[in-house]
Amino acid sequence: NSTAVSQATPEPPPRSPCHAVLYDVMVRDCLRTFARTPMPDPVAREFFRRAADAAVRLRPPGYRRPAGPEGIRRALLEESAYTRYRAFQAANRARRTAKSAVRTRKRQVAAALGDRHYRAALSRPVDPGLAVFAAYWNRGVACNPAAIAAKLTELAPQIHPVWVVTPENAPLLPPHTDHVLPGTRRYREVLATAKYLVNNVNYPNAIVKRPDAVHLQTHHGTPLKRMGVDQMEFPAAAKGLDFEALLARIDKWDYSVSANSHSTRMWERAYPSRFVSLDHGYPRNDVYYTATAADIRVIRARLGIPPAHRAILYA
């Protein structure tokens, strides 16, 4: 990089519209390389000097430096103020370290208070009329949990469903969907007291399996790859998976919904525990078997597919 900077053409820079953009990219990359590449001090000084020369020589006419810390960095570069730039770097690192320590401490305090609140909620009786649902790491109403929740409303209206949803996905929920955000007070309360907990992945490790609560694992696909403890022989695929924590999560399952007999065999091998396999198909797929001709006509009309046309879904 330093060689490329030193060999830059001495002719006046072109006045094209993209000149300022390219100049910004050049200066940013020079400063990034200087900050992230370990160099002996003499090499670093020479690199900085050449970068400063290029920053001044190739600066577009009328160019204005950005505001804030980035503007300060560029001003020091243009002045070839190596020592002051290093001091500015050190001050920034100290400031970031201090802010990070404060944020970490706040998270630790919040986690400790949240854990205390959750433990207190665990002392309350289990609510037989409360069911908590989650899907795809709290993305919203979807997959098998959504199908089960819909049928629950029909068959057991006395049980109130609550969905765990992330803040960014909460606005996408169907109207009037009762939900909680992870980490909130009510989130901890419903997870501590619900009779039924349904998920197509897993609830956090800290969630306690109460003896009189029912955990239903619905899964969300067909295991045509290595899953669970089957990954132990393939470290690259496991990517540092904590198998001890995985087994602890599996031990909380009371039931495991399975799409077919193949999935049942794979789930029981990949997730060894005492859960009961429900080899009845995936609830999310029931619509393909229960839809009537009238339902199909409504769907075709909504999609604008004429009655005489054949439609093929490629998924």
Side-chain angles (χ1 to χ4, degrees):
N1 285 339
S2 60
T3 302
V5 170
S6 66
Q7 292 177 350
T9 175
E11 284 79 14
R15 295 175 179 268
S16 66
C18 65
H19 185 193
V21 175
L22 294 175
Y23 177 80
D24 273 331
V25 172
M26 180 199 75
V27 175
R28 186 177 64 249
D29 284 353
C30 283
L31 292 177
R32 185 176 297 164
T33 301
F34 179 73
R36 298 180 180 179
T37 307
M39 309 179 196
D41 189 66
V43 175
R45 287 180 180 275
E46 179 62 14
F47 181 95
F48 194 82
R49 186 191 66 76
R50 296 187 187 189
D53 175 70
V56 173
R57 180 162 42 85
L58 301 176
R59 185 174 55 208
Y63 177 81
R64 298 182 62 181
R65 290 191 294 267
E70 182 64 18
I72 296 174
R73 276 191 286 267
R74 296 195 178 199
L76 293 172
L77 175 66
E78 291 178 14
E79 296 172 19
S80 195
Y82 176 85
T83 301
R84 282 188 289 153
Y85 192 95
R86 284 299 198 194
F88 183 73
Q89 279 185 309
N92 270 341
R93 279 194 296 270
R95 177 177 54 83
R96 287 194 298 267
T97 299
K99 282 188 174 182
S100 177
V102 170
R103 287 194 298 267
T104 299
R105 181 56 183 164
K106 285 183 177 179
R107 284 195 297 267
Q108 291 172 340
V109 170
L113 291 175
D115 182 67
R116 183 180 302 174
H117 178 224
Y118 177 66
R119 298 291 164 180
L122 287 172
S123 65
R124 303 178 192 173
V126 166
D127 184 350
L130 179 61
V132 179
F133 291 86
Y136 296 122
W137 300 273
N138 306 330
R139 294 181 193 171
V141 179
C143 194
N144 292 313
I148 294 172
K151 201 66 177 177
L152 182 71
T153 301
E154 175 188 335
L155 299 179
Q158 74 278 11
I159 299 178
H160 179 69
V162 177
W163 283 85
V164 180
V165 186
T166 58
E168 59 269 24
N169 285 297
L172 306 177
L173 290 171
H176 313 299
T177 300
D178 192 4
H179 65 281
V180 291
L181 304 181
T184 60
R185 184 181 186 88
R186 187 170 178 236
Y187 163 82
R188 291 186 286 269
E189 290 174 350
V190 297
L191 284 176
T193 59
K195 171 70 174 181
Y196 307 98
L197 291 94
V198 183
N199 207 326
N200 71 351
V201 284
N202 269 303
Y203 286 101
N205 294 340
I207 297 304
V208 173
K209 171 63 172 76
R210 300 184 65 167
D212 44 352
V214 176
H215 284 233
L216 175 63
Q217 168 59 247
T218 75
H219 305 283
H220 56 271
T222 303
L224 301 178
K225 60 181 181 179
R226 300 283 180 172
M227 303 288 291
V229 297
D230 284 349
Q231 299 176 87
M232 293 182 72
E233 299 177 18
F234 305 93
K239 296 179 181 177
L241 181 63
D242 185 339
F243 290 101
E244 185 174 345
L246 172 67
L247 291 171
R249 290 192 295 271
I250 298 167
D251 280 342
K252 299 174 186 177
W253 302 355
D254 291 295
Y255 299 97
S256 168
V257 175
S258 180
N260 47 63
S261 58
H262 163 77
S263 294
T264 300
R265 292 193 301 272
M266 295 303 102
W267 295 142
E268 290 179 350
R269 188 183 73 191
Y271 301 123
S273 190
R274 296 185 298 270
F275 59 80
V276 176
S277 294
L278 303 178
D279 191 354
H280 303 312
Y282 271 173
R284 71 182 187 185
N285 294 338
D286 288 352
V287 65
Y288 298 124
Y289 298 92
T290 59
T292 65
D295 294 325
I296 302 304
R297 284 194 293 271
V298 171
I299 293 170
R300 291 175 67 95
R302 187 171 71 244
L303 297 175
I305 302 172
H309 287 215
R310 174 172 294 180
I312 299 176
L313 170 65
Y314 176 79

